[in-house]
Amino acid sequence: MKSLLSRLTVQRSEMVTCLRQLVDLESPSHHKAALDTLGRHLAAEFGKIGGRTRFHPQEHAGDHLQVNFSGAGKPILILGHMDTVWDLGTLDSMPFRVAKGRAYGPGSFDMKAGIVQAIYAIRALQQMHGRLPRAITVLLVTDEEIGSRSSRPITEALAKKSAAVLVLEPSQGSKGALKTSRKGVGAYHVKVAGQEAHSGLDSDKGVSAILELARQLLAIEKFTDRKRGITANPGVIRGGTRTNVVAGEATADVDARVSQSKDIAYLDTKFRSLKPFDKRCRVETTGGIGRPPMERSKKGVALFTLARRLAKELGWELEEASVGGGSDGNFTAALGIPTLDGLGAVGEGAHARHESVVIAEMPRRAALLARLIESIPG
Ligand SMILES: [Zn+2]
């Protein structure tokens, strides 16, 4: 046990170099060419440790990378994403850097350090055993940050063939808790049509879509039920053309989240039944919950319990967390495949400019991942 961890601890600075290479290859979700460049780099890295790589080519998204490693038993699926929320050129103002034991840079925490840890976990297992003790499939998708539209079928198909799914998303909090439940996530688009008119000459003929939307938003606010784990957040609103025009159109994009699967239909009915307060307006709602919630399940908790025991053997107390953000683990958990999330880096600032990873934690996170791969039954 010790030797696995000490082996990885010795490789710490190598891991940081590997992370730097990944961060330096910027990979925003919408930039296919950049994603494909990172994909080729990662395919080469996994190739070096004996993985058989194949791409799932995409026309509009980056190609998704699958890596297979032979070994005994039903494969363990290790799930990650290459895309980040950061545009090309972010490195100019937010370069990769190491300071006070942390590695900074766009995508470092979410989730390039997680990918590095997976590479080193697999390598350590090979070094220890001479060969891999377990079959592993790695899937690195390119569209997780924008809803995983093109990768979802691939993720689901591979999950169905796997004994368990380990997700390389960042861990939670400063102690690096794992995630056994996540909210389901979606978005609704609410469009209001009113009657455009000159605000001076014809103000009586105008029907303001903006005012109608404002009333709708107050109704939508009431959908939020924190106890039940439901939130509806109008994150973007648009409407109107000029101050001297009664607005003919206004729209809102609303982020919607639920903790329980049964609330997907409940919330959907709420959104679909929005009716205009002013009968002269039209209200149209589209969208829905695209990512089902990852509910805290027996299978997920069993995996966590195993992880906690393995962490204890490695000398630390692992905690469990429930979070509001979704990941591709939501899809696999909803299929009933045991899924454990948050196995990636310890750090802070996902999607924020201070995004960073605690370097000292990288070896033991990799060790935990390696021990899970060895120990999951099936
Ligand atoms: Zn992520």
Side-chain angles (χ1 to χ4, degrees):
M1 203 77 50
K2 278 267 161 52
S3 78
L4 176 71
L5 183 55
S6 49
R7 200 179 281 271
L8 283 158
T9 305
V10 171
Q11 295 167 351
R12 194 167 64 191
S13 66
E14 247 181 83
M15 292 173 89
V16 175
T17 306
C18 180
L19 174 61
R20 175 182 204 132
Q21 290 167 347
L22 301 192
V23 171
D24 282 349
L25 292 170
E26 290 179 294
S27 52
S29 310
H30 291 288
H31 204 294
K32 177 172 171 60
L35 285 160
D36 288 347
T37 302
L38 175 60
R40 281 191 297 273
H41 174 82
L42 281 166
E45 290 296 309
F46 278 100
K48 278 186 211 161
I49 55 170
R52 294 185 310 282
T53 58
R54 65 164 287 206
F55 285 103
H56 295 264
Q58 303 297 316
E59 207 173 318
H60 300 293
D63 298 344
H64 310 301
L65 173 61
Q66 181 183 334
V67 190
N68 288 55
F69 290 92
S70 320
K74 218 174 171 186
I76 309 265
L77 178 60
I78 297 182
L79 208 51
H81 63 86
M82 303 182 223
D83 61 323
T84 76
V85 298
W86 301 101
D87 286 334
L88 286 191
T90 301
L91 278 174
D92 295 343
S93 60
M94 203 177 137
F96 180 87
R97 69 189 168 95
V98 172
K100 293 193 177 130
R102 285 174 176 266
Y104 293 81
S108 55
F109 182 45
D110 187 5
M111 58 161 7
K112 289 179 174 177
I115 298 174
V116 173
Q117 289 166 196
I119 293 172
Y120 280 79
I122 293 169
R123 208 173 78 160
L125 283 173
Q126 290 169 332
Q127 288 170 345
M128 293 251 314
H129 298 277
R131 57 189 289 276
L132 268 184
R134 184 66 186 258
I136 300 173
T137 309
V138 179
L139 179 66
L140 301 176
V141 306
T142 59
D143 60 352
E144 195 275 343
E145 296 289 4
I146 50 171
S148 306
R149 193 170 297 216
S150 73
S151 61
R152 180 177 182 173
I154 304 165
T155 300
E156 290 181 335
L158 290 175
K160 283 180 193 160
K161 291 187 209 154
S162 304
V165 181
L166 304 177
V167 188
L168 303 174
E169 289 286 352
S171 63
Q172 178 70 12
S174 59
K175 291 187 183 146
L178 300 190
K179 300 165 180 178
T180 52
S181 59
R182 284 178 174 274
K183 281 190 175 179
V185 188
Y188 285 91
H189 182 73
V190 181
K191 185 170 153 190
V192 175
Q195 181 57 55
E196 207 166 61
H198 191 298
S199 63
L201 301 178
D202 287 324
S203 95
D204 53 331
K205 292 193 185 115
V207 183
S208 170
I210 289 182
L211 291 178
E212 174 64 30
L213 180 65
R215 294 189 188 106
Q216 295 295 335
L217 294 177
L218 293 176
I220 289 168
E221 184 190 12
K222 297 204 177 77
F223 297 171
T224 291
D225 182 341
R226 290 185 205 285
K227 257 202 193 126
R228 197 162 156 181
I230 301 175
T231 58
N233 173 55
V236 180
I237 60 168
R238 288 189 190 86
T241 51
R242 298 275 189 281
T243 53
N244 58 1
V245 176
V246 176
E249 198 180 291
T251 62
D253 291 315
V254 186
D255 175 277
R257 291 173 195 252
V258 296
S259 290
Q260 301 162 62
S261 307
K262 62 176 168 47
D263 284 333
I264 295 177
Y266 164 81
L267 189 60
D268 202 62
T269 310
K270 288 265 186 196
F271 270 101
R272 306 275 167 204
S273 53
L274 286 171
K275 295 262 161 18
F277 290 86
D278 185 325
K279 298 282 179 291
R280 296 169 296 172
C281 289
R282 248 190 9 255
V283 176
E284 214 181 278
T285 308
T286 52
I289 302 276
R291 243 183 238 285
M294 173 170 140
E295 293 189 59
R296 193 170 183 277
S297 69
K298 264 197 185 140
K299 289 175 184 170
V301 172
L303 260 188
F304 172 75
T305 307
L306 172 63
R308 191 172 51 192
R309 176 167 70 72
L310 299 173
K312 203 163 204 152
E313 289 168 13
L314 292 163
W316 100 95
E317 212 59 56
L318 194 60
E319 291 175 9
E320 178 185 359
S322 163
V323 294
S327 87
D328 286 340
N330 291 46
F331 299 137
T332 62
L335 292 173
I337 317 295
T339 300
L340 194 54
D341 203 339
L343 281 158
V346 180
E348 63 177 0
H351 301 194
R353 294 193 70 83
H354 62 287
E355 171 167 13
S356 64
V357 171
V358 179
I359 294 168
E361 293 278 359
M362 292 181 76
R364 74 176 186 184
R365 301 299 288 191
L368 175 63
L369 187 63
R371 290 289 292 134
L372 273 167
I373 292 167
E374 282 182 315
S375 313
I376 289 172

